[in-house]
Amino acid sequence: MEEKEIRKERLKELEKLGYSPHPYFYPAEDAVSDIVKNFRGAKEEELEKLKIKVSTAGRILTIRRMGKATFLHITDGKEKLQIFLRENTLGKEKYSHFKHFNTGDWIGVKGLIFKTKTGELTVLAEDFTLLAKSLLPLPEKWHGLQDVEVRFRKRYLDLIVNRKTRDIFEKRARILRRIRKFLEERGFVEVETPMMHSVLGGAAAKPFVTHHNALDMDLYLRIAPELYLKRLVVGGMERVFEIGRNFRNEGISPFHNPEFTMLEFYWAYKDYNFLMDLTEELFCEIAMEVWGGLKGKYQGRDLDFTPPWKRLKFMDTLSDRSGIPVEKLWDEDFVMKKALELFPEEGTPPSTYGKALDFLFDKFVKEELFQPTFIIDFPKVLSPLAKEHRNEPRLTERFELFVAGMEVANAFSELTDPDEQKARFEDQVRRKEEGAEVDLDYIEALSYGLPPTAGEGVGIDRTVMIFTDSPNIREVILFPLLRKK
RNA sequence: GAGCCGUUAGCUCAGCAGGCAGAGCACCGGCCUUUUAAGCCGGGAGUCGCAGGUUCGAAUCCUGCACGGCUCACCA
């Protein structure tokens, strides 16, 4: 008989004995992790004197049957707690019911807290009941679930047997909470803007296309919320932020998932210099929250968020690292040729000056930026939504934050001039850049006046990767996109 | 999209100079009232990713496909 059939039989037996296969509730007053937290440090004699009764519940991870006594570990997903079943406590009849339980089953337990002679915190069961039967066996108990594909497709199994997975997503939640707190303390309002866009914009990326039937209208899943958030600043919301999903119809890699989470925020009257200081503060708070300090490790290398971080100019840095003189980097033909020269045989070489510059930057600079580093003052051709640099018309007031070789944040003094913005959009369209459309509605909004504004986008998934020491973005996304099986 | 690697029991993995498909965990039966990778005895469990080919004979060699991983490409 297959395991599933055996377990169905077990369930039938339990039903005959009066157990509900799918009960409606259980008074689990004491969470496993709370019991562990509250009594882990307690003395044995102390517990014996206090006779503390608990009512708890969880999934059975392991069972050790020894005739008239049985030990099991249950978990609430965070902590493990040992349960002790004994015939002379439960009675012969009740004790015998447990033979129909298996690992993986959900169980409700009431009993007394004590410590075994090896000192492990344990609940001496006075009563137990079935909360759900697992008809399929759990993955192996000490190797856990290793198969990466199964871990992502059946994340619930990964969560049951791999404690580290639960930790990552607990940390992700804490990071998000911390970010919200940080922004709320500074007077920000959280908003939600459309995820379905009729005009593409806010980033350079290929979109997903969908269709609304009643309106008979094609829509894009947003590639960025940027243009909507700035409309809100025009509308007088001087400090707004949004945390939400963006969708980009591009390749998948250890650093890219087609849907990913971004924080974007806009602060009126500020510029990008202010944002760099603010970004240092934000990441220091996250580091304190997760690491309890400003120093940690990523993939075996020391990472230090102690401010101030290096601020390196894009063109100067690229020139330094590549050995190409700065004047040459402004020579479109030279850069295109150079990029083509260095480009691997397969694949599509950069088609525009902007892409070629970007390629050179990735090749010579990006991966070296391990410690938190701001790369500042990007060329205008790379930054269609950023304001021209106050001292150098070929540049913009823009920075990107790199940590562990990853681009984690992107920010600028926002372009506020509607005519200039229109010209930049048109220029993009002329260059046939991805995600480029002339958003006339946005130009109109700008025409009502956008005050000086600083805006920033922070990649949440990558930030979580850094603070959970995860080498792959899929480790920090509960259900990463996989091919249909 | 390209190159390389992988896919064997529910899980973790061995087996691949072509010759009866294996182990541990899990599961079932027996013994066992402080175990914790419990232990001891016995047992059941497989479309060897899928399809074709070579061969007396294929998990093993060859081809194609599917899914996954890594690297590259794409990607502010």
Side-chain angles (χ1 to χ4, degrees):
Chain A
M1 208 163 22
E2 263 182 46
E3 180 128 11
K4 194 171 182 178
E5 302 306 315
I6 292 166
R7 286 173 179 244
K8 276 185 174 166
E9 276 310 309
R10 293 271 183 250
L11 183 56
K12 269 190 207 156
E13 292 300 323
L14 285 167
E15 281 186 74
K16 277 188 210 158
L17 292 166
Y19 292 85
S20 165
H22 302 287
Y24 284 87
F25 77 103
Y26 186 77
E29 311 296 345
D30 311 289
V32 165
S33 46
D34 289 338
I35 294 172
V36 171
K37 196 170 63 194
N38 294 336
F39 300 106
R40 186 163 29 201
K43 289 256 184 331
E44 203 177 323
E45 316 84 71
E46 208 179 313
L47 290 173
E48 211 159 307
K49 207 162 51 183
L50 290 171
K51 295 208 185 317
I52 299 153
K53 287 205 174 197
V54 292
S55 174
T56 189
R59 191 189 285 274
I60 301 173
L61 285 178
T62 56
I63 301 174
R64 292 172 293 287
R65 299 179 204 264
M66 293 174 301
K68 296 184 175 66
T70 297
F71 285 94
L72 45 143
H73 273 114
I74 67 171
T75 179
D76 64 352
K78 288 198 258 184
E79 296 291 345
K80 281 188 237 177
L81 177 62
Q82 183 165 260
I83 308 292
F84 185 36
L85 307 177
R86 201 165 54 166
E87 192 178 276
N88 62 1
T89 303
L90 289 161
K92 201 167 181 174
E93 169 74 14
K94 180 72 185 178
Y95 181 78
S96 72
H97 296 173
F98 190 74
K99 69 179 177 220
H100 300 299
F101 282 69
N102 295 105
T103 52
D105 295 350
W106 292 80
I107 191 172
V109 177
K110 291 178 182 137
L112 284 173
I113 295 178
F114 77 108
K115 283 201 169 171
T116 60
K117 64 183 181 192
T118 54
E120 179 165 353
L121 188 72
T122 304
V123 174
L124 176 65
E126 295 178 331
D127 192 20
F128 64 85
T129 192
L130 179 75
L131 300 180
K133 188 79 189 159
S134 176
L135 298 176
L136 295 167
L138 249 35
E140 218 243 9
K141 68 184 174 192
W142 59 78
H143 296 100
L145 185 63
Q146 302 289 333
D147 187 313
V148 179
E149 185 179 354
V150 179
R151 284 185 49 230
F152 295 153
R153 284 191 198 274
K154 302 183 183 175
R155 189 64 103 169
Y156 48 91
L157 291 180
D158 188 27
L159 285 163
I160 293 166
V161 297
N162 295 325
R163 169 65 202 262
K164 193 170 179 297
T165 302
R166 175 66 175 260
D167 286 343
I168 286 173
F169 292 101
E170 296 273 346
K171 277 183 189 158
R172 183 174 176 127
R174 272 165 58 201
I175 288 168
L176 282 168
R177 224 176 294 141
R178 193 75 212 181
I179 290 170
R180 286 200 162 90
K181 184 161 170 268
F182 180 91
L183 293 167
E184 274 154 19
E185 281 167 358
R186 285 162 180 77
F188 275 83
V189 176
E190 181 168 9
V191 297
E192 292 166 282
T193 63
M195 293 210 188
M196 296 195 288
H197 290 184
S198 52
V199 179
L200 208 54
K206 292 189 195 79
F208 289 93
V209 184
T210 186
H211 186 78
H212 187 274
N213 290 339
L215 296 176
D216 187 23
M217 179 169 76
D218 282 340
L219 291 162
Y220 304 109
L221 300 188
R222 73 175 177 198
I223 55 176
E226 171 146 359
L227 301 182
Y228 279 98
L229 290 170
K230 281 189 277 193
R231 282 175 173 93
L232 295 179
V233 181
V234 170
M237 300 185 80
E238 296 177 4
R239 295 172 203 182
V240 286
F241 77 94
E242 177 164 10
I243 294 174
R245 222 68 67 81
N246 293 329
F247 308 86
R248 297 187 184 175
N249 204 342
E250 279 153 6
I252 295 173
S253 85
F255 311 100
H256 301 264
N257 194 62
E259 53 176 313
F260 63 101
T261 303
M262 281 254 287
L263 157 69
E264 278 203 20
F265 63 90
Y266 293 83
W267 192 329
Y269 317 127
K270 302 295 189 187
D271 65 7
Y272 81 137
N273 292 308
F274 175 84
L275 281 190
M276 280 190 263
D277 297 341
L278 189 78
T279 302
E280 287 175 348
E281 279 181 61
L282 173 63
F283 276 80
C284 286
E285 284 211 9
I286 296 171
M288 291 304 293
E289 171 74 34
V290 181
W291 288 344
L294 298 181
K295 292 176 184 177
K297 279 200 184 270
Y298 182 75
Q299 300 300 296
R301 289 177 69 181
D302 292 317
L303 197 52
D304 186 354
F305 280 94
T306 308
W309 307 336
K310 266 189 258 175
R311 299 180 183 190
L312 305 175
K313 290 181 177 170
F314 181 94
M315 285 305 234
D316 294 354
T317 308
L318 179 53
S319 171
D320 282 353
R321 305 281 170 100
S322 67
I324 302 168
V326 174
E327 321 74 89
K328 288 280 194 187
L329 290 175
W330 286 110
D331 180 339
E332 301 207 7
D333 293 335
F334 177 85
V335 168
M336 295 286 285
K337 226 166 69 191
K338 192 79 189 168
L340 199 63
E341 210 174 279
L342 296 168
F343 208 77
E345 281 178 32
E346 70 280 16
T348 339
S351 53
T352 64
Y353 169 59
K355 283 185 181 179
L357 262 187
D358 214 50
F359 166 75
L360 292 178
F361 183 83
D362 283 358
K363 186 166 180 65
F364 288 110
V365 187
K366 190 166 154 183
E367 281 176 24
E368 302 305 312
L369 302 175
F370 194 84
Q371 298 304 325
T373 306
F374 292 113
I375 296 295
I376 69 170
D377 299 348
F378 285 66
K380 213 187 260 182
V381 282
L382 286 177
S383 320
L385 297 161
K387 200 174 229 166
E388 182 177 298
H389 195 281
R390 60 195 80 179
N391 301 322
E392 163 59 89
R394 290 183 299 184
L395 300 176
T396 53
E397 296 202 348
R398 171 183 171 195
F399 70 80
E400 282 189 352
L401 170 63
F402 288 85
V403 181
M406 288 187 275
E407 181 201 331
V408 172
N410 180 26
F412 27 89
S413 303
E414 301 294 337
L415 177 55
T416 50
D417 178 342
D419 295 335
E420 168 76 12
Q421 183 67 77
K422 186 158 185 254
R424 298 250 204 118
F425 278 156
E426 285 165 350
D427 189 46
Q428 270 188 293
V429 171
R430 208 173 306 121
R431 290 168 185 269
K432 295 201 174 105
E433 282 179 19
E434 297 294 350
E437 268 191 78
V438 181
D439 189 338
L440 292 172
D441 184 76
Y442 175 68
I443 302 290
E444 185 178 342
L446 285 186
S447 306
Y448 282 97
L450 176 65
T453 299
E456 177 163 345
V458 178
I460 296 298
D461 310 283
R462 290 178 183 175
T463 300
V464 175
M465 284 171 72
I466 289 161
F467 288 104
T468 56
D469 194 21
S470 300
N472 194 306
I473 198 167
R474 292 167 160 203
E475 295 292 343
V476 304
I477 292 173
L478 280 167
F479 298 100
L481 186 67
L482 295 175
R483 219 178 282 267
K484 199 170 158 186
K485 229 185 167 163

